[in-house]
Coordinates of all heavy atoms in Angstrom, one line a residue:
M4 N -14.9 23.4 12.2 CA -13.7 24.0 12.7 C -12.5 23.3 12.0 O -12.4 22.0 12.0 CB -13.6 23.9 14.2 CG -12.4 24.5 14.8 SD -12.5 24.3 16.6 CE -11.4 25.6 17.0
R5 N -11.5 24.0 11.6 CA -10.4 23.5 11.0 C -9.3 23.2 12.0 O -9.0 24.0 12.9 CB -9.9 24.4 9.9 CG -8.9 23.9 9.0 CD -8.7 24.8 7.9 NE -7.6 24.2 7.1 CZ -6.9 24.9 6.2 NH1 -7.3 26.1 5.8 NH2 -6.0 24.3 5.5
R6 N -8.6 22.1 11.9 CA -7.5 21.8 12.8 C -6.3 22.6 12.5 O -6.0 22.9 11.3 CB -7.3 20.3 12.8 CG -5.9 19.8 12.4 CD -5.8 18.3 12.5 NE -5.3 17.8 11.2 CZ -4.1 17.9 10.8 NH1 -3.2 18.5 11.4 NH2 -3.8 17.4 9.6
R7 N -5.5 23.0 13.5 CA -4.3 23.8 13.2 C -3.2 22.9 12.6 O -3.3 21.6 12.7 CB -3.8 24.4 14.5 CG -3.4 23.4 15.6 CD -3.2 24.1 16.9 NE -1.8 24.2 17.1 CZ -1.2 24.4 18.3 NH1 -2.0 24.5 19.3 NH2 0.1 24.5 18.4
P8 N -2.3 23.4 11.9 CA -1.2 22.6 11.3 C -0.5 21.7 12.3 O -0.3 22.1 13.4 CB -0.3 23.6 10.7 CG -1.1 24.8 10.5 CD -2.1 24.9 11.6
S9 N -0.2 20.5 11.9 CA 0.5 19.5 12.7 C 1.8 19.2 12.0 O 1.9 19.2 10.8 CB -0.4 18.3 12.8 OG 0.3 17.2 13.3
I10 N 2.8 18.8 12.8 CA 4.0 18.4 12.3 C 3.8 17.1 11.4 O 4.5 16.8 10.5 CB 5.1 18.2 13.3 CG1 6.5 18.1 12.7 CG2 4.8 17.0 14.2 CD1 7.7 18.3 13.6
C11 N 2.8 16.4 11.8 CA 2.5 15.1 11.0 C 2.2 15.4 9.5 O 2.4 14.6 8.7 CB 1.2 14.4 11.6 SG 1.5 13.9 13.3
D12 N 1.6 16.6 9.2 CA 1.3 17.0 7.9 C 2.5 17.0 7.0 O 2.4 16.8 5.8 CB 0.6 18.4 7.8 CG -0.6 18.4 8.6 OD1 -1.3 17.4 8.7 OD2 -1.0 19.5 9.1
A13 N 3.7 17.1 7.5 CA 4.9 17.2 6.8 C 5.7 15.9 6.9 O 6.8 15.8 6.4 CB 5.8 18.4 7.2
C14 N 5.2 14.9 7.6 CA 6.0 13.7 7.9 C 5.8 12.6 6.9 O 4.6 12.3 6.5 CB 5.6 13.2 9.3 SG 6.7 11.9 9.9
A15 N 6.9 12.0 6.5 CA 6.9 10.9 5.6 C 6.2 9.6 6.2 O 5.8 8.7 5.5 CB 8.3 10.5 5.1
R16 N 6.1 9.5 7.5 CA 5.7 8.3 8.2 C 4.1 8.3 8.3 O 3.6 7.3 8.6 CB 6.3 8.2 9.5 CG 7.8 8.2 9.5 CD 8.4 8.0 10.9 NE 9.8 8.4 11.0 CZ 10.8 7.6 10.6 NH1 10.6 6.5 10.0 NH2 12.0 8.1 10.7
L17 N 3.5 9.4 8.1 CA 2.0 9.5 8.4 C 1.2 8.7 7.4 O 1.4 8.7 6.2 CB 1.5 11.0 8.3 CG 0.0 11.2 8.6 CD1 -0.3 10.8 10.1 CD2 -0.4 12.6 8.3
R18 N 0.3 7.9 8.0 CA -0.7 7.2 7.2 C -2.1 7.4 7.8 O -2.2 7.8 8.9 CB -0.4 5.6 7.2 CG 1.0 5.3 6.7 CD 1.1 5.5 5.2 NE 2.4 5.1 4.7 CZ 3.4 5.9 4.5 NH1 3.3 7.2 4.8 NH2 4.6 5.5 4.0
Q19 N -3.1 7.0 7.1 CA -4.5 7.1 7.6 C -5.2 5.9 7.3 O -5.0 5.2 6.3 CB -5.2 8.3 7.0 CG -4.4 9.6 7.3 CD -5.3 10.8 7.6 OE1 -6.5 10.7 7.6 NE2 -4.7 11.9 7.9
Q20 N -6.0 5.5 8.3 CA -6.9 4.3 8.1 C -8.3 4.7 8.4 O -8.6 5.7 9.1 CB -6.5 3.1 9.0 CG -6.5 3.4 10.4 CD -5.8 2.3 11.2 OE1 -5.2 1.4 10.7 NE2 -5.9 2.4 12.5
A21 N -9.3 4.0 7.8 CA -10.7 4.3 8.0 C -11.0 4.1 9.5 O -10.6 3.1 10.1 CB -11.6 3.5 7.1
N22 N -11.8 5.0 10.1 CA -12.3 4.9 11.4 C -13.5 4.1 11.4 O -14.5 4.5 10.8 CB -12.5 6.3 12.0 CG -12.9 6.2 13.5 OD1 -13.2 5.2 14.0 ND2 -12.9 7.4 14.1
P23 N -13.6 2.9 12.0 CA -14.8 2.1 12.0 C -16.0 2.7 12.7 O -17.1 2.3 12.4 CB -14.4 0.7 12.6 CG -13.2 1.1 13.5 CD -12.5 2.3 12.8
E24 N -15.7 3.6 13.6 CA -16.8 4.3 14.3 C -16.7 5.8 14.4 O -16.4 6.4 15.4 CB -16.9 3.7 15.7 CG -17.2 2.2 15.8 CD -17.2 1.6 17.2 OE1 -17.3 2.4 18.1 OE2 -17.0 0.4 17.3
P25 N -16.8 6.4 13.2 CA -16.6 7.9 13.2 C -17.7 8.6 14.0 O -18.9 8.2 13.8 CB -16.6 8.3 11.7 CG -17.4 7.2 11.1 CD -17.1 5.9 11.9
A26 N -17.4 9.6 14.7 CA -18.4 10.4 15.5 C -18.9 11.5 14.6 O -20.0 12.1 14.9 CB -17.8 10.9 16.8
S27 N -18.1 11.9 13.6 CA -18.5 13.0 12.7 C -17.8 12.8 11.4 O -16.8 12.0 11.3 CB -18.1 14.3 13.3 OG -16.7 14.5 13.3
P28 N -18.2 13.6 10.3 CA -17.4 13.5 9.1 C -15.9 13.8 9.2 O -15.1 13.2 8.5 CB -18.1 14.5 8.2 CG -19.5 14.6 8.7 CD -19.4 14.4 10.2
A29 N -15.6 14.7 10.2 CA -14.2 15.0 10.4 C -13.4 13.9 11.0 O -12.2 13.9 11.1 CB -14.1 16.3 11.2
D30 N -14.1 12.9 11.5 CA -13.5 11.8 12.3 C -13.5 10.5 11.4 O -13.4 9.4 12.0 CB -14.3 11.6 13.5 CG -13.7 10.7 14.6 OD1 -12.4 10.7 14.6 OD2 -14.4 10.1 15.4
R31 N -13.6 10.6 10.1 CA -13.6 9.4 9.3 C -12.4 8.6 9.2 O -12.4 7.4 8.9 CB -14.0 9.8 7.8 CG -15.5 10.3 7.7 CD -15.8 10.6 6.3 NE -14.8 11.6 5.8 CZ -14.8 12.1 4.6 NH1 -15.8 11.7 3.8 NH2 -13.9 12.9 4.2
Y32 N -11.2 9.3 9.5 CA -9.9 8.6 9.4 C -9.1 8.8 10.6 O -9.3 9.7 11.3 CB -9.1 9.2 8.2 CG -9.8 9.0 6.9 CD1 -10.6 10.0 6.3 CD2 -9.7 7.7 6.2 CE1 -11.2 9.7 5.1 CE2 -10.4 7.5 5.0 CZ -11.1 8.5 4.5 OH -11.8 8.3 3.3
V33 N -8.3 7.8 10.9 CA -7.5 7.8 12.1 C -6.0 7.8 11.6 O -5.6 7.0 10.9 CB -7.7 6.5 12.9 CG1 -6.7 6.4 14.1 CG2 -9.1 6.3 13.4
P34 N -5.3 8.9 12.1 CA -3.9 9.0 11.7 C -3.0 8.0 12.5 O -3.2 7.8 13.7 CB -3.5 10.4 12.0 CG -4.4 10.8 13.2 CD -5.7 10.0 12.9
F35 N -2.1 7.3 11.8 CA -1.1 6.4 12.5 C 0.2 6.5 11.7 O 0.3 7.0 10.7 CB -1.7 5.0 12.5 CG -1.7 4.3 11.2 CD1 -0.7 3.4 10.9 CD2 -2.7 4.5 10.3 CE1 -0.7 2.7 9.7 CE2 -2.7 3.8 9.1 CZ -1.7 2.9 8.8
C36 N 1.2 5.9 12.3 CA 2.5 5.9 11.7 C 3.4 4.8 12.4 O 2.9 4.1 13.3 CB 3.2 7.3 11.8 SG 3.6 7.7 13.5
M37 N 4.6 4.7 11.9 CA 5.6 3.7 12.5 C 5.8 4.0 14.0 O 5.9 3.0 14.8 CB 6.9 3.8 11.8 CG 6.8 3.3 10.3 SD 8.3 3.7 9.4 CE 9.6 3.0 10.4
A38 N 5.8 5.2 14.4 CA 6.0 5.5 15.8 C 4.7 5.2 16.7 O 4.9 4.7 17.8 CB 6.3 7.0 16.0
F39 N 3.6 5.3 16.1 CA 2.3 5.1 16.8 C 1.4 4.3 15.9 O 0.4 4.8 15.4 CB 1.7 6.5 17.1 CG 2.6 7.4 17.9 CD1 3.2 8.4 17.4 CD2 2.8 7.1 19.3 CE1 4.1 9.3 18.1 CE2 3.7 7.9 20.0 CZ 4.3 9.0 19.4
P40 N 1.6 3.0 15.8 CA 0.8 2.2 14.9 C -0.7 2.0 15.4 O -1.6 1.7 14.6 CB 1.5 0.8 15.0 CG 2.3 0.8 16.2 CD 2.7 2.2 16.4
D41 N -1.0 2.4 16.6 CA -2.4 2.4 17.1 C -3.0 3.7 17.1 O -4.2 3.9 17.5 CB -2.4 1.8 18.6 CG -2.0 0.4 18.7 OD1 -2.2 -0.4 17.7 OD2 -1.3 0.0 19.7
G42 N -2.4 4.7 16.5 CA -2.9 6.0 16.3 C -2.0 7.1 16.9 O -1.4 6.9 18.0
V43 N -1.8 8.2 16.2 CA -1.0 9.3 16.7 C -1.7 10.0 17.9 O -2.9 10.3 17.8 CB -0.8 10.3 15.6 CG1 0.0 11.5 16.0 CG2 -0.1 9.6 14.4
P44 N -1.0 10.2 19.0 CA -1.6 10.9 20.1 C -2.1 12.3 19.7 O -1.5 13.0 18.9 CB -0.4 11.0 21.1 CG 0.5 9.9 20.7 CD 0.4 9.8 19.2
D45 N -3.2 12.6 20.3 CA -3.8 13.9 20.1 C -2.9 15.1 20.4 O -2.9 16.1 19.7 CB -5.1 14.1 20.9 CG -6.3 13.3 20.3 OD1 -6.1 12.7 19.3 OD2 -7.3 13.3 21.0
Q46 N -2.0 14.9 21.4 CA -1.1 16.0 21.7 C -0.1 16.3 20.6 O 0.3 17.4 20.4 CB -0.3 15.6 23.0 CG 0.5 16.8 23.5 CD 1.2 16.5 24.8 OE1 1.1 15.4 25.4 NE2 1.9 17.5 25.3
I47 N 0.2 15.3 19.7 CA 1.0 15.6 18.6 C 0.1 16.0 17.4 O 0.4 17.0 16.8 CB 1.8 14.3 18.2 CG1 2.8 14.0 19.3 CG2 2.6 14.5 16.9 CD1 3.5 12.6 19.1
Y48 N -0.9 15.2 17.1 CA -1.7 15.5 15.9 C -2.5 16.7 15.9 O -2.7 17.4 15.0 CB -2.6 14.2 15.5 CG -3.1 14.2 14.1 CD1 -2.3 14.0 13.1 CD2 -4.4 14.5 13.9 CE1 -2.8 14.0 11.8 CE2 -4.9 14.5 12.6 CZ -4.1 14.3 11.5 OH -4.6 14.3 10.3
F49 N -3.1 17.0 17.1 CA -3.9 18.2 17.3 C -3.3 19.2 18.2 O -3.6 20.4 18.1 CB -5.3 17.8 17.9 CG -6.1 16.9 17.0 CD1 -6.3 15.6 17.3 CD2 -6.7 17.4 15.9 CE1 -7.0 14.7 16.5 CE2 -7.4 16.5 15.0 CZ -7.6 15.2 15.4
G50 N -2.4 18.8 19.1 CA -1.9 19.7 20.2 C -0.7 20.5 19.9 O -0.3 21.4 20.6
G51 N 0.0 20.2 18.8 CA 1.1 21.0 18.4 C 2.5 20.5 18.9 O 3.5 21.2 18.7
F52 N 2.5 19.3 19.6 CA 3.8 18.8 20.1 C 4.7 18.6 18.9 O 4.3 18.1 17.9 CB 3.6 17.5 20.8 CG 4.9 17.0 21.4 CD1 5.4 17.4 22.6 CD2 5.7 16.1 20.7 CE1 6.5 16.9 23.1 CE2 6.8 15.6 21.2 CZ 7.3 16.0 22.4
D53 N 6.0 19.0 19.1 CA 7.0 18.9 18.0 C 7.6 17.6 18.1 O 8.5 17.3 18.9 CB 8.0 20.0 18.2 CG 9.0 20.1 17.0 OD1 9.1 19.1 16.3 OD2 9.6 21.2 16.9
H54 N 7.3 16.7 17.2 CA 7.8 15.3 17.2 C 9.1 15.1 16.6 O 9.6 14.0 16.4 CB 6.8 14.3 16.6 CG 7.0 12.9 17.0 ND1 7.0 11.8 16.1 CD2 7.4 12.4 18.2 CE1 7.3 10.7 16.8 NE2 7.6 11.0 18.0
R55 N 9.9 16.2 16.5 CA 11.3 16.1 16.2 C 12.0 15.8 17.6 O 13.2 15.5 17.6 CB 11.8 17.4 15.6 CG 11.3 17.6 14.1 CD 11.7 18.9 13.6 NE 10.8 19.9 14.1 CZ 10.8 21.2 13.6 NH1 11.5 21.5 12.5 NH2 10.0 22.1 14.1
R56 N 11.2 16.0 18.6 CA 11.7 15.6 20.0 C 11.0 14.3 20.4 O 9.9 14.1 19.9 CB 11.4 16.7 21.0 CG 12.0 18.0 20.7 CD 11.8 19.1 21.8 NE 10.5 19.0 22.5 CZ 9.5 19.8 22.3 NH1 9.6 20.8 21.4 NH2 8.4 19.6 23.0
S57 N 11.6 13.6 21.3 CA 11.0 12.3 21.7 C 9.7 12.5 22.4 O 9.5 13.5 23.1 CB 12.0 11.6 22.6 OG 11.5 10.3 23.0
Y58 N 8.8 11.5 22.3 CA 7.5 11.6 22.9 C 7.3 10.2 23.5 O 7.7 9.2 22.9 CB 6.4 11.9 21.9 CG 5.0 12.0 22.5 CD1 4.6 13.3 23.0 CD2 4.2 11.0 22.6 CE1 3.4 13.5 23.5 CE2 2.9 11.1 23.2 CZ 2.5 12.4 23.6 OH 1.3 12.6 24.2
P59 N 6.7 10.1 24.7 CA 6.6 8.8 25.4 C 5.8 7.8 24.5 O 4.8 8.1 23.9 CB 5.7 9.1 26.6 CG 6.0 10.5 26.9 CD 6.2 11.2 25.6
G60 N 6.4 6.6 24.3 CA 5.8 5.6 23.5 C 6.1 5.6 22.0 O 5.5 4.8 21.3
D61 N 7.0 6.5 21.6 CA 7.2 6.6 20.2 C 8.2 5.6 19.6 O 8.5 5.7 18.4 CB 7.6 8.1 19.8 CG 8.9 8.5 20.3 OD1 9.7 7.7 20.7 OD2 9.2 9.7 20.2
R62 N 8.7 4.7 20.4 CA 9.6 3.7 20.0 C 10.8 4.2 19.3 O 11.4 3.6 18.5 CB 8.8 2.7 19.1 CG 7.6 2.1 19.8 CD 6.6 1.4 18.9 NE 6.8 1.5 17.5 CZ 6.5 0.5 16.6 NH1 6.0 -0.6 17.0 NH2 6.7 0.7 15.3
N63 N 11.2 5.4 19.7 CA 12.4 6.1 19.2 C 12.3 6.3 17.7 O 13.3 6.4 17.0 CB 13.7 5.3 19.5 CG 14.0 5.2 20.9 OD1 13.9 6.2 21.6 ND2 14.3 4.1 21.4
V64 N 11.1 6.4 17.2 CA 10.8 6.8 15.8 C 10.3 8.2 15.8 O 9.3 8.5 16.3 CB 9.8 5.9 15.1 CG1 9.5 6.3 13.7 CG2 10.3 4.4 15.2
L65 N 11.1 9.1 15.2 CA 10.8 10.6 15.2 C 10.3 11.0 13.8 O 10.4 10.3 12.8 CB 11.9 11.4 15.7 CG 12.4 11.0 17.1 CD1 13.6 11.9 17.5 CD2 11.3 11.2 18.1
F66 N 9.9 12.3 13.8 CA 9.5 13.0 12.5 C 10.6 12.8 11.4 O 11.8 12.8 11.7 CB 9.4 14.5 12.8 CG 9.2 15.3 11.6 CD1 8.0 15.4 11.0 CD2 10.3 16.0 11.1 CE1 7.8 16.2 9.9 CE2 10.2 16.8 10.0 CZ 8.9 16.9 9.4
D67 N 10.1 12.6 10.2 CA 11.0 12.4 9.0 C 10.3 13.2 7.9 O 9.2 12.9 7.5 CB 11.1 11.0 8.6 CG 12.0 10.7 7.4 OD1 12.8 11.6 7.1 OD2 11.8 9.7 6.7
L68 N 10.9 14.3 7.5 CA 10.3 15.2 6.5 C 10.0 14.4 5.2 O 10.9 13.8 4.6 CB 11.2 16.4 6.2 CG 10.7 17.4 5.2 CD1 9.5 18.1 5.7 CD2 11.8 18.4 4.9
R69 N 8.8 14.5 4.7 CA 8.4 13.8 3.5 C 8.9 14.7 2.3 O 9.0 15.9 2.4 CB 6.9 13.6 3.4 CG 6.0 14.8 3.3 CD 4.6 14.4 3.1 NE 3.7 15.5 3.3 CZ 3.5 16.5 2.4 NH1 4.0 16.4 1.2 NH2 2.7 17.5 2.7
E70 N 9.1 14.1 1.2 CA 9.4 14.8 0.0 C 8.3 15.8 -0.3 O 7.1 15.4 -0.4 CB 9.6 13.8 -1.2 CG 10.2 14.5 -2.4 CD 10.5 13.5 -3.5 OE1 10.9 12.4 -3.2 OE2 10.3 13.9 -4.7
G71 N 8.6 17.0 -0.5 CA 7.6 18.0 -0.8 C 6.9 18.6 0.4 O 5.9 19.3 0.3
G72 N 7.3 18.2 1.6 CA 6.7 18.6 2.8 C 7.1 19.9 3.4 O 6.7 20.3 4.5
E73 N 8.0 20.6 2.8 CA 8.6 21.8 3.3 C 7.5 22.9 3.7 O 7.6 23.5 4.7 CB 9.6 22.5 2.4 CG 10.8 21.6 2.2 CD 10.7 20.5 1.1 OE1 9.6 20.4 0.5 OE2 11.6 19.7 1.0
S74 N 6.5 23.1 2.8 CA 5.5 24.1 3.1 C 4.6 23.7 4.2 O 4.2 24.6 5.0 CB 4.7 24.4 1.8 OG 4.0 23.3 1.4
A75 N 4.3 22.4 4.4 CA 3.5 22.0 5.5 C 4.3 22.2 6.8 O 3.8 22.5 7.8 CB 3.1 20.5 5.4
L76 N 5.6 21.9 6.8 CA 6.5 22.1 8.0 C 6.5 23.6 8.3 O 6.4 24.0 9.5 CB 7.9 21.6 7.7 CG 8.8 21.7 8.9 CD1 8.3 20.9 10.1 CD2 10.2 21.1 8.5
T77 N 6.7 24.5 7.3 CA 6.7 25.9 7.6 C 5.4 26.4 8.2 O 5.4 27.1 9.1 CB 7.0 26.7 6.3 OG1 8.3 26.3 5.8 CG2 6.9 28.2 6.5
A78 N 4.2 25.9 7.7 CA 2.9 26.2 8.3 C 2.8 25.8 9.7 O 2.4 26.5 10.6 CB 1.8 25.6 7.5
Y79 N 3.3 24.6 10.0 CA 3.4 24.1 11.4 C 4.2 25.0 12.3 O 3.8 25.4 13.4 CB 3.9 22.7 11.4 CG 4.3 22.2 12.8 CD1 3.3 21.9 13.8 CD2 5.6 22.1 13.2 CE1 3.7 21.6 15.1 CE2 6.0 21.8 14.4 CZ 5.1 21.5 15.4 OH 5.5 21.1 16.6
E80 N 5.4 25.3 11.8 CA 6.3 26.1 12.6 C 5.8 27.5 12.8 O 6.0 28.1 13.9 CB 7.7 26.2 11.9 CG 8.4 24.9 12.0 CD 9.7 24.9 11.2 OE1 9.9 25.7 10.2 OE2 10.6 24.0 11.5
Q81 N 5.1 28.1 11.9 CA 4.6 29.4 12.0 C 3.4 29.5 13.0 O 3.1 30.5 13.6 CB 4.2 30.0 10.7 CG 5.3 30.3 9.8 CD 5.0 30.8 8.4 OE1 3.8 30.6 7.9 NE2 5.9 31.4 7.7
D82 N 2.7 28.4 13.1 CA 1.5 28.3 13.9 C 1.8 27.8 15.3 O 1.0 28.0 16.2 CB 0.4 27.3 13.3 CG -0.9 27.4 14.0 OD1 -1.6 28.5 13.9 OD2 -1.3 26.4 14.6
S83 N 2.9 27.3 15.6 CA 3.3 26.7 16.9 C 4.2 27.6 17.6 O 5.4 27.7 17.3 CB 3.9 25.3 16.6 OG 3.0 24.4 16.0
P84 N 3.7 28.2 18.7 CA 4.5 29.1 19.5 C 5.6 28.5 20.3 O 6.6 29.2 20.6 CB 3.5 29.8 20.4 CG 2.4 28.8 20.5 CD 2.4 28.0 19.2
A85 N 5.5 27.2 20.6 CA 6.5 26.6 21.5 C 7.5 25.7 20.8 O 7.7 24.6 21.2 CB 5.8 25.9 22.6
I86 N 8.1 26.1 19.7 CA 9.1 25.3 19.0 C 10.4 25.7 19.5 O 10.8 26.7 19.7 CB 9.0 25.5 17.5 CG1 7.7 24.9 17.0 CG2 10.1 24.8 16.8 CD1 7.4 24.9 15.5

């Protein structure tokens, strides 16, 4: 199953690290960023929360469009009904 577009896909802050205990091949990497150094919450990465708005625990670090991320942002906006 493919995950729906996330605002993280267009964010300059997104990084990935190897998951030491993957449950499946789709779980090989853990997304993290400056806002969530211990891992991006599922509600943002998988759930469609728009992190251009504040989220609990984000340390006041919000979405920052990465260079070339416009098409990923458009895909997210088209797939997310509650923007």
Side-chain angles (χ1 to χ4, degrees):
M4 181 180 204
R5 192 169 175 193
R6 117 177 127 74
R7 62 192 259 201
S9 167
I10 196 161
C11 298
D12 299 330
C14 188
R16 303 180 197 284
L17 182 67
R18 302 289 181 266
Q19 301 220 0
Q20 61 191 6
N22 184 350
E24 298 178 22
S27 72
D30 194 25
R31 292 182 306 181
Y32 298 98
V33 177
F35 73 99
C36 67
M37 293 168 52
F39 304 105
D41 294 326
V43 177
D45 285 352
Q46 189 174 2
I47 297 173
Y48 196 71
F49 296 107
F52 181 87
D53 187 341
H54 197 224
R55 290 175 283 193
R56 298 187 327 255
S57 184
Y58 186 87
D61 68 14
R62 305 169 345 151
N63 296 316
V64 177
L65 301 179
F66 170 81
D67 180 26
L68 182 64
R69 69 175 166 80
E70 186 175 330
E73 294 82 5
S74 62
L76 182 59
T77 297
Y79 163 74
E80 291 174 337
Q81 290 175 345
D82 190 67
S83 298
I86 293 184

